[in-house]
Amino acid sequence: MIIDHPLLGPRDAAEFIYLGDAALIDRPDWQDEDAADKFYEYGYLRDNIAGKMQELWYHEQGDRSWLVVTRDTLTHEITDVEMARNVARARGRSK
Amino acid sequence: MPDFTLISAPPLAGYDRSFGDIQLIAPTDLAIVSIALPLGGEDAAKKAIKTAFGIALPEVGMSNVAKDKTSSIMRLAVDQAFVLFPSATPDAEPQIAAKLKGAAYTTDQTDGWCALQISGPGARRALERICPVDLHPNAFAVNAVARTVMEHMGAIVARTGEDTFLLLSASSSAKSFLHAVEVSAQNAT
C-alpha cells in the first residue's frame, strides 16, 4: 500500500504506523459539565465504519508527521491524505 | 585520573571500497546539527537561517549548500532541518547555535549517525534494491533528501550529485547498515 504524503510524495506503507480513528483529534474539554462521560466516549467508543473512514497515521520512519488518511475500509483505497496539524487547526485547535 | 583515555572514533570512518562501478566511502569528520523551528517563531528562525547561511531554508525534502560552501542544510520535516559540515572537534552544536543567535533550537546529532557516500554509475542500481523511495533521476532531483527505511533501519538518503548519494543511518547499527549496502552493491555488480 502506498500513502501519498502531502509534502513528501508517495511513500511505502511500511514507513507508517496506524493509530486509528481521526476522531481522536477532537479531545473533549476537561472543564465541561459532562467531561467524564465525554472522556469515556473519547477513550473507548469508536464507529465501526464499512466505507470511507478518516484515520490517523504516523510517519515514524520518515518526517515524523501525523497524517489524516481517508481510506475505504472495504477496498483499502486511499482518497485523501492531509497533515493532521492542518486538520486540527481547521477544527479550531490553536497549536 | 585514570591512566587510560577514550578515543572517539566514528563507526565507519576510513571505510573506502569499490564494487565494480560503485564506490562506497565513509566521510570523515562529518558533523551534524539539527535545527528545530520554534512553534510560533518559524518566520524569525527562517530569517536567522537566511542570515547565517546565506541561503533560504530549503523546501521539505530538499537540501542546499550554504553560500560559503562550508555546510549544507537538509530540510527533513516542516519544522526540522539538519546542518552537515566538516568538523573534527566536538563543538558542532555551539558553532551552529552561535550562527543562529537563539532563533531556533539546535541539537548535536553527530554521534547519533553514521554516514556513507555511494557513487558511480551503478549507485542507483545498488540502492533500488534496499531503498523504498523512488530514486529515478526524474523523481529524485539533485539535492533531494528523503528520510526512509532500508532493511528495517531508519535512514536518510540525499542525492548530492548526478550519481552520488549520501546515506545517513543510526551509528548504533552502523555496521549492519554498512553490511546491507555492501551486500546490495555486491549483488548489483
Side-chain angles (χ1 to χ4, degrees):
Chain A
M1 198 163 74
I2 302 280
I3 295 177
D4 195 1
H5 192 291
L7 294 173
L8 307 174
R11 293 301 190 96
D12 193 280
E15 293 182 8
F16 297 85
I17 283 179
Y18 174 80
L19 180 69
D21 196 335
L24 285 168
I25 289 174
D26 303 314
R27 189 182 174 85
D29 184 348
W30 65 277
Q31 286 178 309
D32 269 2
E33 290 272 313
D34 50 354
D37 283 341
K38 282 186 174 164
F39 268 99
Y40 163 72
E41 289 178 18
Y42 175 80
Y44 296 108
L45 302 185
R46 299 281 180 275
D47 292 330
N48 187 17
I49 297 165
K52 276 189 185 177
M53 182 176 176
Q54 285 200 311
E55 301 167 332
L56 283 169
W57 288 74
Y58 180 50
H59 196 194
E60 189 183 33
Q61 301 278 20
D63 73 340
R64 312 260 165 146
S65 58
W66 282 97
L67 302 177
V68 174
V69 175
T70 308
R71 182 179 65 100
D72 193 310
T73 57
L74 299 174
T75 63
H76 294 311
E77 186 195 5
I78 292 172
T79 47
D80 195 22
V81 185
E82 298 165 271
M83 300 291 285
R85 60 160 73 179
N86 296 343
V87 174
R89 282 168 186 163
R91 291 185 191 177
R93 190 89 70 82
S94 61
K95 288 178 179 175
Chain B
M1 280 286 287
D3 55 357
F4 57 85
T5 49
L6 298 175
I7 300 166
S8 72
L12 302 179
Y15 182 87
D16 184 349
R17 208 172 146 189
S18 289
F19 302 84
D21 57 354
I22 302 163
Q23 285 86 48
L24 211 51
I25 296 171
T28 43
D29 298 335
L30 182 71
I32 307 170
V33 175
S34 69
I35 298 177
L37 309 183
L39 187 64
E42 290 90 347
D43 290 339
K46 283 178 188 170
K47 222 173 138 187
I49 289 167
K50 177 99 208 245
T51 311
F53 297 97
I55 51 161
L57 181 67
E59 293 297 311
V60 178
M62 292 302 290
S63 68
N64 204 352
V65 179
K67 205 177 173 193
D68 63 4
K69 315 268 184 222
T70 56
S71 57
S72 66
I73 306 178
M74 293 177 169
R75 179 92 174 266
L76 296 166
V78 177
D79 43 20
Q80 190 193 48
F82 275 8
V83 185
L84 286 80
F85 58 104
S87 174
T89 48
D91 63 343
E93 189 273 330
Q95 290 185 44
I96 300 301
K99 280 182 168 220
L100 295 174
K101 300 185 172 69
Y105 305 115
T106 46
T107 309
D108 203 317
Q109 304 276 345
T110 309
D111 290 347
W113 297 82
C114 66
L116 267 182
Q117 180 183 282
I118 183 165
S119 58
R124 217 170 260 104
R125 223 169 52 238
L127 286 176
E128 68 191 5
R129 293 160 182 250
I130 51 172
C131 177
V133 176
D134 185 0
L135 298 178
H136 189 277
N138 295 345
F140 203 69
V142 173
N143 284 341
V145 180
R147 193 165 183 171
T148 181
V149 60
M150 295 189 205
E151 297 282 13
H152 308 279
M153 288 170 278
I156 293 172
V157 53
R159 188 175 170 202
T160 50
E162 222 25 70
D163 291 318
T164 308
F165 298 86
L166 180 69
L167 311 175
L168 300 175
S169 192
S171 62
S172 54
S173 49
K175 287 188 178 150
S176 304
F177 186 70
L178 175 65
H179 181 244
V181 180
E182 272 183 329
V183 169
S184 193
Q186 265 159 5
N187 289 338
T189 50

